Amino acid sequence: MDYQKIKDYRNAHNPYSQRLGILVEEIGPGYARVVKTVGSEDTNPLGVPHGGVYFSMADTAGGSAMASHGHRAVTVNCNYNFMRSAKVGDTLTAEAREIKAGKTLCVYDVHITDQNGTLLGTGTFTFYQLEQEIEL
């Protein structure tokens, strides 16, 4: 499996993540890491990143880890726990690790940290593997 090509494909073909500034940095077997720097446009009325920023990062990381199997997939269930807020200028990292690899359903544990390694939140994401290979 050419993980570099999968990473490049994910970065080039995800307009939503591109708009949010989420970049896939690494994909490996059942693993992915994505990063984003928080901008002022990412904040909610309280001046901290909107929950959707964290959730989108976690979903992108999980989906990228799922893509390591070479097939397209869709999210079927997810749970995210918000623990701390970041601030504008922080660099966030979401790492997804596979905890169950099935024929159709795969489950990923996702952790989001800031540039200091502070845990901001965790999630569990379940994906359904489609019968469509990723065309590289």
Side-chain angles (χ1 to χ4, degrees), residues 39-56:
S40 60
E41 68 280 2
D42 298 316
T43 60
N44 63 20
L46 299 176
V48 296
H50 188 282
V53 171
Y54 303 104
F55 191 88
S56 293

Side-chain angles (χ1 to χ4, degrees), residues 66 74 76 100-108 126-129:
M66 180 72 206
V74 293
V76 294
K100 182 211 184 274
K103 283 181 101 174
T104 56
L105 293 178
C106 296
V107 182
Y108 296 86
T126 303
F127 293 87
Y128 179 82
Q129 182 171 279

